[in-house]
Amino acid sequence: MEDTIAAISTSTMSSGGISIVRISGENAITIADRVFKSKKNISLKNAASHTVHYGTIWNGDEEIDEVLAVVMKAPNTYTREDIVEIDCHGGILVTRKVLEAVLDAGANLAEPGEFTKRAFLNGRIDLSQAEAVIDVINSQNEYALKSSVRQLSGKLSDKIREIRELLIDNVAFIEAALDDPEHISLDNYVEKLEIDVDKSVDNVDKLLKTSDNGRIMRDGIRTVILGKTNAGKSSLLNALAKEERAIVTDIEGTTRDVLEEQINLGGIILNLIDTAGIRQTDDYVESIGVSKAKKYAKDADLIIFVVDSSRELDKNDDEIMELIKDKNVIVLLNKSDMETVVNKEDILKIMDCNVLSVSAKEEIGIDKLEDTVKNMFFSGNIDVNDEIYITNARHKNLLKDALNSLKLVKEGINMGMSEDFLTIDLMAAYEKLGLIIGEAVEDDLADQIFAKFCMGK
């Protein structure tokens, strides 16, 4: 924290219109003045905060580039330290030379995520907001982005602080009563405590229940396409991917291994796995593919079961339906452009699931599939849903720990334990929730979290 740090904050992999070299720390403006010459002979040290200045960057006697220097003075900055951002031309070489000039002038090269880490350590954002920064950067779809932005704005932090405040108020009252029993009574206090603990359990449980949808928002839906041979699975994959990703022939058993593809279906990421057709076979290689298909089905978030509606259901279809009966399933009655012998009622007699008629080859009904996926996982249109979603595995585990501690408080109340014993588990829940937002976080954990960031952020 005593060092002044610098890094390139734009892409270092390709050229662009401009690049930004960011400097942060107590000596940021002094170091910038050593390399920046204003066209109006203005020292950045004397410049007003949040102003832009035109000039050139020099490294000793070498003129590097014509730039704009943006001066931002503490505490109203990203890191709550003095910051100077140098906007130079976007070539990779010139950007690196500008950074070299800044480093030669006394700055140290920033570690990955060090600017955001300083924002956290200086109290501008909490740890959950800091983690949301990298989630915003890594967002692959509009739902993940909106969820991350909500977390960055403090929605999750506010909810966690609300729960913690209720817990610590009870702990404080109990401890005060134990210290001063003559003036503060605990008579019938357990009844109030139980109401507050029930409320906290409910709030933590609600957050935990969003974690599956939160993971899906961030990472996408693990989707496995199943069906017997020649049902049209590969044609469906090609239709969704909008390119020829899988070989399609009339020969049964063409797909022998899994084929993976990530697609954006109306803003939702589907991690699609096209599998070998499930059937009894003596072909050793094909049987391996069938075994893989069954294994992937067990771990899937969503099964798309492709049924060839131009052929009667057979024992292969029966085997698949037995395999997926307890999963999230969409049944596609494929080849609807042909004469069909299998209808929706035939499927619903066996399984309770969504059934759609499509033609993968003609790309008919794919829009209905998109709507069905949205409805299944997000209960409708998420654009108007302002719910907090847990997208971070660390947060999920801490919420589980907090919930377990709160349940121990409930058990203690039911067993008639004294209030001082109840405060032990109340404080355990309080501390676990505090780790989500970075209260008393250990240095090695913070280092581990910020090491995942890109350089310059």
Side-chain angles (χ1 to χ4, degrees), residues 174 186 189-191 193 407-425:
I174 291 170
L186 285 174
Y189 187 76
V190 170
E191 294 177 6
L193 176 61
K407 287 180 178 179
L408 289 174
V409 178
K410 284 276 293 179
E411 290 178 13
I413 292 173
N414 293 333
M415 294 169 60
M417 296 177 67
S418 63
E419 289 84 357
D420 56 336
F421 278 105
L422 298 177
T423 60
I424 296 172
D425 291 314

Side-chain angles (χ1 to χ4, degrees), residues 127-135 151 392 394-395 436 449:
L127 193 57
S128 69
Q129 290 173 295
E131 289 170 300
V133 171
I134 196 65
D135 287 341
Q151 184 173 317
N392 187 299
R394 188 181 75 86
H395 299 171
I436 293 175
I449 290 171

Side-chain angles (χ1 to χ4, degrees), residues 195-206:
I195 293 172
D196 288 348
V197 171
D198 284 341
K199 182 179 179 181
S200 300
V201 167
D202 185 53
N203 285 331
V204 172
D205 193 47
K206 283 180 179 177

Side-chain angles (χ1 to χ4, degrees), residues 277-325:
I278 293 180
R279 64 169 178 172
Q280 297 296 324
T281 177
D282 295 327
D283 186 302
Y284 177 70
V285 176
E286 187 180 353
S287 66
I288 294 175
V290 172
S291 297
K292 279 189 176 182
K294 293 178 179 179
K295 178 180 179 297
Y296 279 106
K298 290 180 180 178
D299 299 327
D301 297 316
L302 174 65
I303 302 290
I304 298 179
F305 175 28
V306 182
V307 174
D308 182 351
S309 62
S310 69
R311 291 188 285 169
E312 295 285 354
L313 297 175
D314 59 25
K315 62 181 181 180
N316 294 316
D317 295 301
D318 293 339
E319 181 184 354
I320 295 169
M321 286 189 275
E322 180 63 26
L323 178 68
I324 64 177
K325 62 183 180 181

Side-chain angles (χ1 to χ4, degrees), residues 231 236 304-311 313 317 321 330-338 340-348 354-360 364-365:
L236 176 65
I304 298 179
F305 175 28
V306 182
V307 174
D308 182 351
S309 62
S310 69
R311 291 188 285 169
L313 297 175
D317 295 301
M321 286 189 275
I330 299 175
V331 175
L332 298 185
L333 299 178
N334 193 29
K335 305 185 182 180
S336 62
D337 55 314
M338 302 170 61
T340 62
V341 295
V342 180
N343 57 41
K344 182 176 181 179
E345 287 69 29
D346 295 328
I347 301 298
L348 294 178
N354 291 283
V355 183
L356 306 174
S357 292
V358 303
S359 171
I364 298 170

Side-chain angles (χ1 to χ4, degrees), residues 56-68:
T56 53
I57 293 293
W58 293 73
N59 193 351
D61 296 329
E62 180 187 5
E63 183 177 357
I64 306 297
D65 194 17
E66 208 171 36
V67 303
L68 295 175

Side-chain angles (χ1 to χ4, degrees), residues 374-385:
K374 285 184 181 180
N375 290 331
M376 285 181 68
F377 286 94
F378 301 123
S379 301
N381 190 347
I382 201 169
D383 286 336
V384 297
N385 190 340

Side-chain angles (χ1 to χ4, degrees), residues 2-6 23-36 44-45 57-58 84 86 98-108:
E2 296 175 357
D3 296 333
T4 295
I5 57 173
I23 314 168
S24 179
E26 184 179 355
N27 298 315
I29 297 175
T30 300
I31 289 172
D33 264 332
R34 292 173 186 162
V35 299
F36 176 76
L44 297 180
K45 187 176 182 179
I57 293 293
W58 293 73
V84 177
I86 299 171
V98 170
L99 176 62
E100 287 173 9
V102 172
L103 297 178
D104 289 345
N108 293 319

